[in-house]
Amino acid sequence: MSYAFPDSDPRPPRRSRRGPLTVAVVAPVAAALAGWLVWQAVADSGDGGTPKAAPPSQQQSSAAAGTTAPASPTASDRDGPDDADDGTDGDKNDGNQGDEASSSAPAATGPLKGKVVVIDPGHNPGNFRHTAEISRLVDIGTHRKECDTTGTSTNAGYTEAQFTLDVSRRLRALLEKQGATVRFTQDGDRAWGPCVDERARIGNKAGADAVVSVHADGSAAGNRGFHVILPGSVKAGAADTRAIVGPSRELGERIAGNFVRVTGSAPSNYVGNGTGLVVRRDLGGLNLSTVPKVFIECGNMRDSKDASLVTSGAWRQKAAQGISEGIVSFLRG
């Protein structure tokens, strides 16, 4: 996902009904997490990140020729990008589904019974074949920007769109076991998109209790770690995030803490001042949301060490687990 010009807001007071975020720090990342342990005392930095480099054309070709794997993870997952479903099973429609979400059947039992979670797998494996469609501008309240982008990739050609679908499907399976009804903005079942404004509307129409947009970053080599993007306070045009800023921050904090604990990954060393939290006002998926929503950049695909993580099926399962446990913690209170 592109990263440009984040804004910073003062941290709103936490609601008393939820306990403080606890972060378990493991020895291999103790030094990197020093800033994380003091995040409650530090406001978001608003640091500007490094824009992503577009994947080379040969990487796009690799995406088009990707393999197909089961939608849900299995015990036989093997490390490497070839165990991910890239969703490139043909253009099933024209990319315009009228803000409808792909939906799972509601689970019969579990602590999240009655809760609706919308998962937004970033980008789409078919986007690179529909550059005209995804390049058109849409209104995100504060300004107009591209409908969507192709996303980034590792230097070896494993695309962000493959990664986000695989993690999202693993995440869905985990949440359904907790009793949640899970809906997707796209599940490799459309030719391109949806646009960022439609992604927001899908969560809004579902009346979601939480929405998480899954991504991986494409910054410079040496930039490592994850970060969670929170909505800033926006009131412009169709965008009004004031009611969701507080709960979205709480959702983001819960996800960040559990992501550290489960994956052992450190918060970003290039944005967020070690907190793993960044506030932005330039993302349509956040600006137009009326329900609690965050983005998570699970790692930097252009760094070789982070790339070795995102291309591992075992690590992607941990990433899904960390996100799931954060969502569960938020929804259970």
Side-chain angles (χ1 to χ4, degrees), residues 9-63:
D9 282 343
R11 185 174 182 275
R14 293 173 63 84
R15 291 177 289 177
S16 60
R17 71 182 180 88
R18 300 185 191 270
L21 171 68
T22 300
V23 179
V25 181
V26 292
V29 296
L33 296 183
W36 175 261
L37 295 177
V38 297
W39 64 262
Q40 293 189 72
V42 181
D44 293 308
S45 68
D47 291 343
T50 305
K52 290 185 176 179
S57 59
Q58 63 267 31
Q59 294 173 358
Q60 294 180 342
S61 298
S62 174

Side-chain angles (χ1 to χ4, degrees), residues 133-147:
E133 291 90 341
I134 67 171
S135 295
R136 71 178 180 86
L137 300 181
V138 297
D139 188 352
I140 68 166
T142 54
H143 60 288
R144 294 174 65 81
K145 69 182 302 181
E146 291 83 0
C147 156

Side-chain angles (χ1 to χ4, degrees), residues 101-189:
S102 301
S103 180
S104 66
T109 60
L112 298 188
K113 181 177 174 59
K115 299 293 186 181
V116 176
V117 179
V118 170
I119 303 302
D120 178 28
H123 312 290
N124 183 313
N127 276 359
F128 73 93
R129 293 176 302 194
H130 295 272
T131 54
E133 291 90 341
I134 67 171
S135 295
R136 71 178 180 86
L137 300 181
V138 297
D139 188 352
I140 68 166
T142 54
H143 60 288
R144 294 174 65 81
K145 69 182 302 181
E146 291 83 0
C147 156
D148 201 0
T149 67
T150 58
T152 189
S153 70
T154 65
N155 292 331
Y158 179 51
T159 67
E160 182 181 2
Q162 289 175 284
F163 171 80
T164 64
L165 274 174
D166 184 76
V167 172
S168 295
R169 288 165 177 167
R170 295 169 186 266
L171 177 56
R172 173 173 58 195
L174 292 166
L175 290 170
E176 287 178 344
K177 288 181 180 178
Q178 296 290 321
T181 297
V182 182
R183 299 179 181 176
F184 273 29
T185 57
Q186 60 94 12
D187 194 7
D189 51 359

Side-chain angles (χ1 to χ4, degrees), residues 4 15 40 48 88 94 98 110 118 142 167 173 179 185 188 198 205 211 237 246 251 255 262 290 296 322-323 331:
R15 291 177 289 177
Q40 293 189 72
T88 53
D94 64 0
V118 170
T142 54
V167 172
T185 57
E198 183 184 345
K205 288 178 68 174
V211 183
L251 171 62
I255 290 174
V262 175
T290 59
I296 181 166
I323 298 169
L331 294 178

